[in-house]
Amino acid sequence: MRLRNVKGAKEKIEGDDYTIKLPNEKKGIWKDVFGNDNPIHIEIGMGKGKFIMELAKKNPNINYIGIEKYSSVLVRALEKRPELEQDNLYFIRMDAEDLNEVFEEEEVARIYLNFSDPWPKERHAKRRLTSVQFLERYNKCLDQDGLIIFKTDNRELFDFSLEQVELAGWNLENVTYDLHHSEYAEGNVMTEYEEKFSKEGKPINRMVIRRKRG
């Protein structure tokens, strides 16, 4: 994925009050950051932030953390942050591989994965955010009833993800190959990509999986 460089993005991120600069120092104490015991939901690869911003507005009793690897993308989310009146949303610029350096065991209640990079080459399969390797990372930080909600327009990635869920021993709660024409469409919050793809008539795949026990 080729990204357009945004001049001054790193400086804006460094000066932003809602971007956590040393997230590994918050491991195990994220409730102190938010000042409450509300459940923590995270989005990995949040893009420009439309999805997580809308969730934060609708659910003031849930704490949200948006994770984005690229400064030039994260800075666009920061531009939207002033629209949110409550303090239940923070951001982290980091690679998802470092997730367990930032969140303690059972510290997260839910993870959202939306239109993740498919990494189409087979040799890059371990980099896919729904690979067995990443599911193991999620399993460590999710609580006992922790969920992952994954949406994508990429059917090959979705089929791969279903295989990985079984291999990793997770539980498949529900699945649809056409979200917007399914029983799960009500209450669905769309991302920027989702709005674009749905207007083009592309079906959206979605699965909800629950962490393995034991």
Side-chain angles (χ1 to χ4, degrees):
M1 179 173 59
R2 187 171 182 177
L3 295 172
R4 183 177 180 181
N5 184 53
V6 176
K7 187 177 181 180
K10 290 183 179 180
E11 290 76 12
K12 290 179 181 179
I13 291 169
E14 283 297 318
D16 182 73
D17 292 337
Y18 288 99
T19 303
I20 305 299
K21 310 307 184 297
L22 297 171
N24 59 307
E25 294 184 357
K26 309 301 180 185
K27 182 177 180 178
I29 57 169
W30 281 101
K31 290 181 179 180
D32 293 343
V33 174
F34 289 98
N36 59 58
D37 292 330
N38 294 336
I40 295 173
H41 293 187
I42 67 177
E43 182 184 9
I44 299 176
M46 68 169 183
K48 297 177 182 178
K50 177 183 182 298
F51 175 83
I52 200 167
M53 275 284 298
E54 189 166 343
L55 285 183
K57 288 178 182 178
K58 290 183 174 182
N59 303 288
N61 293 324
I62 295 175
N63 297 325
Y64 291 93
I65 299 173
I67 296 172
E68 177 54 51
K69 181 178 180 179
Y70 301 103
S71 298
S72 56
V73 180
L74 172 57
V75 74
R76 298 307 185 198
L78 302 188
E79 293 170 355
K80 297 183 178 71
R81 183 61 180 76
E83 300 171 15
L84 187 64
E85 295 181 357
Q86 61 260 28
D87 291 333
N88 66 330
L89 172 61
Y90 283 87
F91 304 118
I92 306 174
R93 191 191 69 78
M94 60 175 273
D95 193 305
E97 290 184 355
D98 299 326
L99 201 67
N100 297 135
E101 303 301 320
V102 171
F103 296 102
E104 190 56 83
E105 291 184 10
E106 301 191 13
E107 195 168 17
V108 177
R110 183 173 298 181
I111 296 174
Y112 293 96
L113 304 173
N114 292 314
F115 302 88
S116 308
D117 191 332
W119 291 101
K121 294 181 180 179
E122 191 59 36
R123 68 175 184 271
H124 293 151
K126 291 192 292 186
R127 298 185 183 183
R128 297 169 190 162
L129 293 181
T130 51
S131 68
V132 167
Q133 290 79 10
F134 271 100
L135 289 175
E136 284 303 312
R137 293 182 176 100
Y138 307 146
N139 198 59
K140 292 178 181 178
C141 67
L142 281 170
D143 65 28
Q144 287 295 312
D145 293 314
L147 293 175
I148 293 177
I149 301 178
F150 171 56
K151 293 192 287 188
T152 182
D153 66 306
N154 189 306
R155 181 58 183 269
E156 290 185 5
L157 175 61
F158 195 68
D159 289 341
F160 165 85
S161 303
L162 285 170
E163 294 173 357
Q164 298 294 290
V165 167
E166 184 175 356
L167 287 172
W170 286 54
N171 298 307
L172 185 64
E173 294 282 297
N174 60 69
V175 61
T176 176
Y177 296 94
D178 191 357
L179 173 60
H180 296 168
H181 296 94
S182 76
E183 61 185 296
Y184 309 113
E186 186 176 353
N188 176 57
V189 174
M190 290 200 286
T191 72
E192 291 95 343
Y193 279 127
E194 190 172 354
E195 288 184 344
K196 176 178 180 291
F197 295 146
S198 61
K199 287 178 182 177
E200 294 173 354
K202 294 181 179 179
I204 306 302
N205 309 282
R206 192 196 79 158
M207 69 171 72
V208 178
I209 59 175
R210 189 176 297 276
R211 64 160 290 189
K212 65 180 180 182
R213 298 298 183 93

